[in-house]
Amino acid sequence: MLNPHRLRVLQSVIATGSIQGAARSLHYSPATVSQHMNTLRQETGLTLFERTGRGLHPTQAGLSLAEGSTGVLQGLDELDRLVQSLRHGHSRHLVIASFTSAAKEWLPRVVATLRSSEPELTVQISLNEPYTEKTSNAVDIDIRNESPLEPEEHFEGYLRHRLRDEDFAVVLPAGHPLCATEVVEVHQLADQMWVDHDIKDSPNGRMIRTACQAAGFVPQFAARLDDHTAALALVAAGLGITVLPHLALRDLPSGTVLRPLRNPAVTRRIVAHVRQDRSADPLVAAALEILRRESEDLQNGSLENP
């Protein structure tokens, strides 16, 4: 079995570009670093470096070994944190998956509040977009969108908590004729050029397409991408209109105007799937309560845009 410590030294040599650089970064002597690399070469039977003049250049085998070690070393780090948590009798690690706008608007409050009472807590956050089946990775809280027109999602080993329903709105370039209206009806967007923010077939995109079909048209796209922030920038540049849920519209770029969208209204559900075997953990329960409060603030608040 390979020594993880030597793999870390290998990564340091490659990252710093030399034995001397790794020695300085790791606070070792160059002789100690060289000894680790020689031992690793003997253990693997691989040529890890080639001499180029006075320096060393990693071989493809050395680069592949260093890259392949990353996941293993990260896993060992997580295992160390788990041991520390077990030793102290409580968890100091929380894993959350979320869609982009919830991660931006809600999770800073979640992390800050939890760490104020648990300073050694590490919160790992990953994006669960594009929407696929839940993997076997152990996520403590998974925040997701759902379409009210589709069946509710339930995952084995998880408890489902409904946070809120949320309306969509249309974002227009400043000066667009529809800016003169207080409310935009979906059929009024039939002859507009659109900026699509969803090319991954998420619930958001499916709900928007259904609303357009109900109004009797298929959107014409000037641009299609998979990032709502970039989509808003294209709207600000006058390339078209886009439709987004309110949570994604907290920081509208200049040059855009927001209007409610009706007939039909487009609404999504936001839910949190909580790992059942951790649902009683005080950290997980506290995180869920903060998410509930954040979602209530969204419901009670309003977006102002002239």
Side-chain angles (χ1 to χ4, degrees):
M1 184 177 294
L2 297 180
N3 185 308
H5 181 64
R6 294 193 187 102
L7 295 174
R8 295 185 193 277
V9 175
L10 171 65
Q11 290 185 334
S12 181
V13 173
I14 292 176
T16 60
S18 67
I19 295 290
Q20 291 75 15
R24 287 192 296 270
S25 297
L26 298 172
H27 302 286
Y28 292 160
S29 69
T32 299
V33 174
S34 294
Q35 182 180 4
H36 280 304
M37 292 301 91
N38 286 331
T39 303
L40 185 60
R41 175 180 57 79
Q42 294 169 4
E43 289 176 341
T44 61
L46 299 173
T47 300
L48 303 175
F49 296 93
E50 296 174 341
R51 290 204 171 274
T52 55
R54 295 184 178 180
L56 289 177
H57 183 74
T59 64
Q60 185 57 51
L63 291 171
S64 297
L65 180 59
E67 182 179 356
S69 302
T70 300
V72 174
L73 296 176
Q74 288 176 343
L76 289 173
D77 288 340
E78 292 181 6
L79 190 59
D80 284 340
R81 287 192 289 267
L82 174 61
V83 170
Q84 293 176 11
S85 298
L86 294 172
R87 184 182 298 129
H88 290 88
H90 60 279
S91 174
R92 298 192 176 194
H93 194 67
L94 185 67
V95 182
I96 300 176
S98 173
F99 56 90
T100 304
S101 53
K104 176 179 178 293
E105 298 296 338
W106 292 348
L107 294 190
R109 177 72 60 84
V110 172
V111 177
T113 304
L114 294 181
R115 279 186 51 81
S116 66
S117 60
E118 189 67 52
E120 296 185 25
L121 172 68
T122 298
V123 181
Q124 178 180 320
I125 300 171
S126 62
L127 297 182
N128 54 18
E129 298 165 327
Y131 292 83
T132 57
E133 285 297 319
K134 179 180 268 301
T135 66
S136 59
N137 295 336
V139 175
D140 298 314
I141 300 177
D142 194 342
I143 308 166
R144 293 195 169 217
N145 292 319
E146 288 182 356
S147 168
L149 306 176
E150 298 174 359
E152 295 181 355
E153 287 188 309
H154 294 268
F155 300 110
E156 185 177 357
Y158 283 79
L159 302 174
R160 182 180 181 279
H161 298 267
R162 183 169 176 167
L163 296 178
R164 64 165 277 103
D165 292 346
E166 179 188 24
D167 288 338
F168 286 56
V170 59
V171 185
L172 309 163
H176 191 284
L178 289 176
C179 293
T181 64
E182 293 185 1
V183 177
V184 174
E185 297 199 355
V186 175
H187 74 87
Q188 294 177 281
L189 304 177
D191 59 352
Q192 302 298 316
M193 296 305 298
W194 286 57
V195 175
D196 185 14
H197 54 83
D198 172 43
I199 57 175
K200 301 292 188 179
D201 195 37
S202 78
N204 286 349
R206 294 197 296 273
M207 285 182 281
I208 294 169
R209 289 196 300 272
T210 299
C212 293
Q213 290 169 359
F217 70 95
V218 175
Q220 305 175 68
F221 295 110
R224 303 192 71 189
L225 57 162
D226 58 1
D227 178 79
H228 74 271
T229 302
L232 289 171
L234 295 184
V235 174
L239 295 179
I241 64 94
T242 196
V243 172
L244 281 164
H246 283 274
L247 191 60
L249 301 174
R250 293 295 186 91
D251 298 311
L252 285 176
S254 60
T256 60
V257 175
L258 179 69
R259 289 292 180 263
L261 189 64
R262 297 291 183 269
N263 194 25
V266 184
T267 304
R268 70 173 175 181
R269 276 193 303 255
I270 303 178
V271 298
H273 300 274
V274 177
R275 207 169 109 192
Q276 191 166 5
D277 61 358
R278 289 207 64 192
S279 60
D281 186 305
L283 278 175
V284 175
L288 180 61
E289 180 58 30
I290 298 166
L291 288 171
R292 290 189 188 282
R293 291 202 301 267
E294 290 290 292
S295 63
E296 289 173 359
D297 288 344
L298 173 65
Q299 187 170 6
N300 295 331
S302 62
L303 290 172
E304 296 182 2
N305 193 298

